[in-house]
Amino acid sequence: MDKQQILNIDFSELLAEFPFAADFFESQGMKIPQTSVKEFVKNLTDTELEDMGIDPSEFIHNFVTFIEAVGSMTEKTASIEKLTITGGINKKGEAENFELEINSGEIICIVGPTGSGKSRLLADIEWMAMGDTPTKRYIKINGKDPEKSWRFSPEHKPVAQLSQNMNFVMDLTAREFVRIHAESRFVQDIDNKVELIIEKANELAGEKFDGDTPVTSLSGGQSRALMIADTAFLSKSPIVLIDEIENAGIDRKKALQLLVGEEKIVLMSTHDPILALMGDKRLVIKNGGVAKIIATTDKERENLQELQELDKRLLDLRNRVRMGDMLETI
Amino acid sequence: MRFVTVSGPPSSGKTAVILKTVESLRQRGFKAGVVKFDCLYTDDDKLYEAKGIPVKKGLSGALCPDHYFVSNVSESFEWGKKQGIDILISESAGLCNRCSPHIKEILAVCVIDNLSGINTPKKIGPMLKSADVVVITKGDIVSQAEREVFASRVATVNPTASIMHVNGITGQGAFELSTLFADANTETDTLDGKSLRFSMPSALCSYCLGEKRIGSQYQMGNVRKMDVDNG
Ligand SMILES: Nc1nc2c(ncn2[C@@H]2O[C@H](COP(=O)(O)OP(=O)(O)OP(=O)(O)O)[C@@H](O)[C@H]2O)c(=O)[nH]1
Ligand SMILES: Nc1ncnc2c1ncn2[C@@H]1O[C@H](COP(=O)(O)OP(=O)(O)OP(=O)(O)O)[C@@H](O)[C@H]1O
Ligand SMILES: [Mg+2]
Ligand SMILES: [Mg+2]
Ligand SMILES: [Zn+2]
Ligand SMILES: [Zn+2]
């Protein structure tokens, strides 16, 4: 449908094709048009125009943009097979001299001391840097420069960021929350998606929770599990950035498998040896620059099992402390 | 000189975002200054001064701060030019949710925070609806999903705006925002003759003119009545 059609056909017909069109009017605090949108705007009274809070021509422009943006969102996004990072300069201005290709399904860890620039590297990827950040790095997607407009369009950004913070301020149950999130992404088949996410989150969480639990009462681990499952199944973004997932009472291995299993590229900044070894490669950051790229060796991987056993022992001990046990024998 | 209007609800993070953005602008070689408009009281000028940013403050007192803004913006612009500023930023808190300082052909930014509740984007009005850039702050306090829900509500209210996430405390995202300030093609000599993006309601009812007594017989001019009989 082109712009003229969107404005000139009867609103009920428009709704049949774009059910979300009503959301726009609702969000502007306006009633749903009974005519075409063009007629509707033409017939608004002075008071209604005043309440609209925006110039009528801008209003129409916004409406068409909305229909087009959401329309393109419900289409499948082009898949991303390859992400390329081209080195820039570190904080001292020295060249990084590297080019890294990351393929879909790969996990890349970012390690380095506090303040070294891990978050900056994630930010470069999120911003799809084109030599225009302090690091002068370049990001390419499938070998090509990304579209600049993606930077400002939350829906088209191929990058989702899972952050440290798992707080909720909304007063909703887990199920309602995931539903609202799904609706905001104009996801289809919402009911099944919601149930799938609750189920998968429970597989990750140390303690199980019910979909009717208010999100504000979830434990740290449960919230994180919910957010990871949510990102895996709701987010269409093929690239997931994780800034420090650390110990949050969830099965980290399963969490990563869940994300990567959905054919995503995962980049995560971490200090955790288990997570670091789960990565295919790790980028060592010093002074704002990538100083080394280490491919995880088989020998390192052999240690992974031992690390996981260590981790499990600590977890058991933690549980025993919780239950009020003595730790005279461990 | 370039001019940028930054508006947003009280305490949404305007000052924090401007401070971080000015830092990035400096690194790019721009001299930035700020005019702060508020109603009764503000300490923001001290925060700007502490960072060595030229700042001018205006308090509107009994007037709507946005009305006061339009009446003084031209003079503020001239002040900025005299200071040798490259990019002048105005900060004003939208208090009545009806007035908006945004000017045609001048980069318009609205700052709104993740904690304000998912229905807030609907309530803010012209200040948000006609902005070119919407900056969402305090993303560090909520989860990824909540940030996305909030951003999507903003995008529904203003589908043409560029939406950016900026952390007012760490400055994450401020560099990216500064590119918009720096790239914006809004070099102007004067604001005289420019026009607001949306009209501001004028003082027209009896109460605007000082009436205190309650009751229909005292109400004149632009009076709107709510419908209490239906619904
Ligand atoms: N956690 C967090 N706090 C923030 C963020 N941005 C701003 N704040 C805090 O929010 C409070 C209000 O921020 P200000 O920048 O003063 O807000 P403002 O919009 O300028 O407020 P007024 O000028 O008084 O209307 C301050 O305590 C800031 O430190 C953010 O991204 N995250
Ligand atoms: N190559 C670079 N050139 C200039 N500045 C840089 C560069 N890399 C990083 N920085 C800056 O250094 C500061 C610290 O970086 P960052 O926050 O990314 O560190 P971090 O490794 O995430 O630290 P933490 O472990 O404490 O989270 C930031 O202000 C960032 O913008
Ligand atoms: Mg960091
Ligand atoms: Mg302020
Ligand atoms: Zn007002
Ligand atoms: Zn009045």
Side-chain angles (χ1 to χ4, degrees), chain A residues 88-93 96 112-122 124 133-137 243-244 269 271 285 287-289, chain B residues 170:
Chain A
I89 51 168
N90 68 13
K91 287 188 198 177
K92 294 184 187 156
E96 287 183 299
T114 296
S116 58
K118 301 183 292 296
S119 301
R120 182 65 249 169
L121 176 57
L122 293 178
D124 284 343
T133 66
T135 64
K136 306 272 186 270
R137 291 186 184 116
D243 206 349
E244 321 217 353
S269 101
H271 306 293
I285 316 274
N287 270 323
Chain B
T170 64

Side-chain angles (χ1 to χ4, degrees), chain A residues 266-297:
Chain A
V266 177
L267 287 111
M268 87 184 139
S269 101
T270 184
H271 306 293
D272 178 337
I274 296 184
L275 289 175
L277 293 190
M278 278 180 195
D280 298 291
K281 288 186 187 136
R282 53 188 192 273
L283 309 185
V284 185
I285 316 274
K286 272 194 194 125
N287 270 323
V290 174
K292 212 190 315 180
I293 302 179
I294 302 174
T296 312
T297 62

Side-chain angles (χ1 to χ4, degrees), chain A residues 52 62 132 161 165 169 181, chain B residues 129 140 144 146 148 160:
Chain A
M52 194 156 79
N62 279 359
D132 57 355
Q161 189 158 11
N165 203 307
V169 290
H181 189 205
Chain B
K129 286 183 186 172
D140 52 321
Q144 153 84 7
E146 245 180 78
E148 284 179 11
T160 42

Side-chain angles (χ1 to χ4, degrees), chain B:
Chain B
M1 190 173 70
R2 290 177 214 183
F3 191 56
V4 181
T5 52
V6 176
S7 66
S11 299
S12 56
K14 299 178 291 297
T15 305
V17 167
I18 295 172
L19 284 169
K20 295 290 179 187
T21 309
V22 167
E23 224 170 84
S24 290
L25 285 172
R26 271 188 183 154
Q27 284 166 13
R28 295 158 162 254
F30 291 100
K31 179 173 178 184
V34 177
V35 231
K36 162 75 191 186
F37 291 92
D38 215 320
C39 204
L40 297 175
Y41 176 81
T42 183
D43 258 347
D44 284 353
D45 49 328
K46 293 191 187 119
L47 296 172
Y48 292 120
E49 259 164 23
K51 293 274 177 192
I53 302 169
V55 57
K56 191 106 208 129
K57 146 168 106 169
L59 293 178
S60 63
L63 295 177
C64 161
D66 288 300
H67 281 76
Y68 181 78
F69 167 92
V70 221
S71 319
N72 289 283
V73 69
S74 245
E75 291 76 1
S76 306
F77 189 88
E78 294 309 316
W79 167 82
K81 283 203 296 199
K82 277 200 206 92
Q83 302 285 314
I85 287 168
D86 303 312
I87 303 182
L88 181 64
I89 302 168
S90 74
E91 178 191 338
S92 54
L95 293 174
C96 68
N97 279 357
R98 171 57 187 82
C99 295
S100 149
H102 300 320
I103 301 169
K104 286 184 184 159
E105 296 137 33
I106 294 290
L107 185 69
V109 180
C110 179
V111 179
I112 168 169
D113 75 84
N114 271 299
L115 301 184
S116 59
I118 48 172
N119 291 320
T120 301
K122 279 194 221 171
K123 296 180 200 156
I124 295 185
M127 175 166 85
L128 174 63
K129 286 183 186 172
S130 65
D132 302 311
V133 179
V134 180
V135 172
I136 306 179
T137 59
K138 306 189 190 175
D140 52 321
I141 300 181
V142 299
S143 65
Q144 153 84 7
E146 245 180 78
R147 278 203 299 278
E148 284 179 11
V149 172
F150 194 79
S152 131
R153 298 281 166 117
V154 169
T156 306
V157 174
N158 184 343
T160 42
S162 298
I163 297 176
M164 313 214 42
H165 294 270
V166 177
N167 181 321
I169 292 182
T170 64
Q172 193 182 0
F175 172 82
E176 287 76 3
L177 178 62
S178 78
T179 59
L180 294 184
F181 285 33
D183 294 348
N185 191 14
T186 51
E187 197 67 37
T188 34
D189 271 344
T190 172
L191 294 181
D192 285 345
K194 289 210 185 291
S195 148
L196 287 170
R197 295 194 180 196
F198 196 67
S199 65
M200 294 186 185
S202 45
L204 273 181
C205 80
S206 344
Y207 300 105
C208 298
L209 299 170
E211 179 57 69
K212 284 181 175 169
R213 290 168 298 176
I214 297 172
S216 285
Q217 64 268 42
Y218 306 114
Q219 298 167 353
M220 293 181 306
N222 187 358
V223 178
R224 269 211 234 173
K225 289 292 195 185
M226 59 196 271
D227 187 356
V228 287
D229 297 326
N230 298 313

